[in-house]
Amino acid sequence: MANKFKLRKITTSDYPSLMQWRNDPRVRNYMYTQHVITAAEHQTWINKITTDDSYHPLILEYNKELLGFVNIHQIAQGGIADWGFYTSPDAPKGTGSKLGEQALDYAFNTLQLHKLCGQALDFNKASRKFHQRLGFKKEGVLEQHHFDGQKYYDVICFGLLASEYHLITNNES
């Protein structure tokens, strides 16, 4: 079953689904930008991530059904990158794990990254658990680092080194 999951680069036909998912409250409420994004905002973002080689926007699909999105952004020399991700709000249970597994494989085996970094708003317990389940270490807290227009929130920072990833995956084999 797992071999039917495929992580691939996004195409123009994916853009409407990405905007729909991103604007769904089940996704939007956990993002830094929580307002409903407009078509113009979405297109500006798409233009940025598809024309700058430091971005690697990817879609997870299963039997041609779109299930999730991940963007790996190389932010520093030496193979240091951030990632962001979300699944379709209607994706089946377990999709996030498949997205994470395939994205980490892509990050460390295809892109040959040294380190992948992630962040989660402190109230997003699912994302915090997700990072830790994938082997990320909590590296710190940016106190009151995000303001949503009404309240400040801490941002939890995570990191995973290639050496740690390969140790985890070698132990699973």
Side-chain angles (χ1 to χ4, degrees):
M1 180 170 155
N3 59 357
K4 294 184 182 179
F5 282 94
K6 178 182 174 185
L7 193 65
R8 61 164 176 78
K9 294 183 181 201
I10 65 169
T11 64
T12 54
S13 64
D14 302 325
Y15 300 171
S17 293
L18 290 176
M19 184 172 167
Q20 179 184 3
W21 297 349
R22 173 57 183 77
N23 278 333
D24 188 292
R26 294 170 287 179
V27 173
R28 178 170 41 91
N29 291 341
Y30 295 98
M31 306 296 265
Y32 284 119
T33 306
Q34 296 181 351
H35 70 274
V36 173
I37 57 172
T38 65
E41 287 175 291
H42 186 64
Q43 191 57 54
T44 298
W45 174 75
I46 289 288
N47 290 345
K48 181 170 90 174
I49 67 169
T50 58
T51 59
D52 182 335
D53 290 340
S54 68
Y55 290 90
H56 303 275
L58 306 163
I59 283 284
L60 180 71
E61 61 181 20
Y62 179 77
N63 287 338
K64 307 276 185 198
E65 180 184 358
L66 306 184
L67 295 177
F69 168 77
V70 63
N71 185 37
I72 299 169
H73 180 211
Q74 293 183 251
I75 58 169
Q77 291 183 336
I80 311 296
D82 280 336
W83 77 334
F85 50 85
Y86 48 89
T87 59
S88 161
D90 300 317
K93 189 169 175 60
T95 297
S97 294
K98 291 294 181 193
L99 178 66
E101 291 165 9
Q102 294 215 5
L104 293 181
D105 178 69
Y106 186 86
F108 293 116
N109 293 322
T110 301
L111 297 177
Q112 297 289 302
L113 294 179
H114 172 71
K115 181 179 183 181
L116 188 61
C117 305
Q119 295 183 341
L121 294 168
D122 64 350
F123 63 81
N124 190 346
K125 292 179 183 173
S127 182
R128 291 169 36 199
K129 286 181 183 178
F130 178 73
H131 279 92
Q132 292 172 323
R133 195 169 50 248
L134 289 172
F136 283 78
K137 291 181 181 170
K138 181 178 171 183
E139 294 188 330
V141 177
L142 302 173
E143 292 185 24
Q144 297 185 22
H145 191 72
H146 175 69
F147 183 66
D148 70 356
Q150 297 178 354
K151 184 179 175 186
Y152 287 94
Y153 294 95
D154 292 350
V155 174
I156 313 302
C157 300
F158 296 94
L160 180 62
L161 298 173
S163 58
E164 296 166 338
Y165 170 75
H166 291 298
L167 186 63
I168 292 166
T169 56
N170 286 339
N171 288 339
E172 291 174 355
S173 325

